[in-house]
Amino acid sequence: MRVLLTGGTGFIGKELLKYFTTYEVTLLTRSPLKAKEMVSHADMGNITYLSDLNKLSDLNEFDAVVNLAGEPIADKRWTKKQKEIICHSRWKITETIVELIHASTSPPSVFISGSAVGYYGDQQEHPFDEGLHTHQQNFPHQVCAKWEEIANRARSDSTRVCILRTGVVLGVEGGALKKMMLPYKLGLGGAIGSGDQYIPWIHLLDMVRGIIYLLTTEHAYGEFNLCAPHPVTNKHFSQTLAKLLKKPHLLSTPKWLLKIAMGESAVLLFDSLRAKPKKLTELGFHFSYSRIEPAMKNLLQHAD
């Protein structure tokens, strides 16, 4: 399979490349030399590095496109400028890919494009799946809704489109768990606010396996929640992490304090998303880690 991959040097992309060694991969990156170093663990001589999509006039040479590019949404405070960067980094590259697909006489048969469960907004304690249609005013929904709308323009009889509504991806090399490890190891871990908000988590291995499953399942299309079947509350999540690290779980961080520190982006911590991966499981996908404790145990075995 010939795959065009964006976001290949990111947290998920680097792991995905480990499973792409039998594919011919073209990796879009602003810095090919830096990218070669970052993905050397997965480059079996099957990766070509592309610095600009504008060097392509169409995508006839590709069987698939996996679009994971985007400025991290949680790393910086949401100033007006940062919001523009977050949006532009997702929307523009997706628009360009769609234009190239439309320009192709033999387009890729599948286009897999990123999104997030933040699309749904705060759903409190109510479980939901991809059948939930919602219109929210908050920033995560606005980012995801337009991102998905752009990606879906590529859909045709020749190209199926799969949208990845990704949850909180757990791994030791990046993402939320890596950020949490130090304070928890120091015994400073605890719930955020009331701790009652649901976290739609997914083990990094299942995230990658899910992408490959959608890539190779020819009748898969539409929006998919990429999260484990059993979301847990923030309190349950933090108690489990503290327990496995054999550390106390005594502290909690007040909501008002995080709102001051993070501003609008605090919704990422307090929106409750009890998302279920109904479409993925109905297709026949089986999660390696459907429960939080075994997932964390596995990850902590490989942590420093």
Side-chain angles (χ1 to χ4, degrees):
M1 186 181 291
R2 301 163 300 171
V3 181
L4 173 63
L5 174 64
T6 77
T9 59
F11 173 45
I12 298 169
K14 285 191 292 185
E15 187 69 17
L16 184 62
L17 280 170
K18 294 179 184 178
Y19 297 84
F20 273 10
T21 53
T22 59
Y23 298 164
E24 294 177 30
V25 180
T26 297
L27 177 59
L28 181 70
T29 172
R30 287 189 297 265
S31 175
L33 287 176
K34 186 177 179 181
K36 284 181 183 179
E37 292 181 12
M38 294 178 73
V39 304
S40 59
H41 65 288
D43 192 345
M44 302 291 122
N46 63 312
I47 301 176
T48 302
Y49 299 86
L50 177 69
S51 61
D52 192 340
L53 277 178
N54 291 323
K55 292 183 177 181
L56 302 175
S57 57
D58 57 55
L59 298 181
N60 287 332
E61 65 181 279
F62 298 103
D63 302 305
V65 180
V66 179
N67 177 31
L68 304 177
E71 171 80 5
I73 198 167
D75 285 4
K76 296 178 182 178
R77 194 178 180 92
W78 290 347
T79 61
K80 182 180 178 181
K81 181 180 179 182
Q82 184 62 14
K83 282 184 173 183
E84 289 174 354
I85 292 170
I86 289 168
C87 292
H88 183 81
S89 67
R90 287 160 172 75
W91 299 346
K92 181 58 180 174
I93 194 168
T94 307
E95 283 179 339
T96 303
I97 290 169
V98 171
E99 289 168 1
L100 288 168
I101 289 173
H102 287 162
S104 304
T105 55
S106 179
S109 61
V110 56
F111 176 33
I112 294 180
S113 193
S115 185
V117 290
Y119 166 87
Y120 297 105
D122 184 16
Q123 297 298 323
Q124 301 176 10
E125 76 279 7
H126 307 295
F128 62 88
D129 57 43
E130 296 90 348
L132 176 65
H133 298 286
T134 181
H135 297 282
Q136 305 278 334
Q137 296 302 313
N138 65 30
F139 180 61
H141 173 81
Q142 292 171 348
V143 173
C144 293
K146 184 168 180 179
W147 195 9
E148 293 183 13
E149 185 272 325
I150 295 167
N152 277 318
R153 295 175 197 166
R155 186 176 171 183
S156 70
D157 291 341
S158 300
T159 303
R160 59 187 176 89
V161 176
C162 296
I163 303 292
L164 310 174
R165 288 181 177 164
T166 305
V168 178
V169 183
L170 303 181
V172 294
E173 299 298 327
L177 188 61
K178 183 179 181 181
K179 292 177 182 177
M180 297 170 72
M181 288 296 288
L182 181 58
Y184 273 78
K185 284 181 176 180
L186 294 173
L188 301 175
I192 295 173
S194 69
D196 294 332
Q197 65 274 30
Y198 276 85
I199 298 174
W201 64 275
I202 184 170
H203 191 295
L204 179 59
L205 173 63
D206 282 327
M207 181 70 207
V208 167
R209 288 182 59 245
I211 292 172
I212 294 170
Y213 193 80
L214 294 174
L215 192 66
T216 55
T217 302
E218 294 181 0
H219 56 284
Y221 67 91
E223 295 75 30
F224 293 85
N225 291 338
L226 267 291
C227 47
H230 302 287
V232 295
T233 62
N234 173 267
K235 187 181 294 181
H236 185 166
F237 184 98
S238 59
Q239 285 174 338
T240 302
L241 181 55
K243 170 188 164 185
L244 293 175
L245 290 172
K246 297 181 171 59
K247 295 296 180 180
H249 185 269
L250 303 172
L251 305 177
S252 64
T253 307
K255 188 172 183 177
W256 63 266
L257 182 61
L258 285 167
K259 281 191 169 182
I260 291 172
M262 298 177 64
E264 187 182 352
S265 64
V267 298
L268 297 172
L269 298 178
F270 294 109
D271 278 1
S272 183
L273 293 155
R274 200 174 178 181
K276 299 281 190 171
K278 182 181 179 183
K279 285 184 63 178
L280 196 56
T281 52
E282 285 184 345
L283 274 179
F285 180 79
H286 296 283
F287 284 81
S288 297
Y289 299 95
S290 62
R291 301 279 182 178
I292 190 64
E293 187 163 336
M296 279 193 179
K297 276 184 180 177
N298 171 264
L299 290 166
L300 294 177
Q301 287 173 359
H302 302 96
D304 293 332

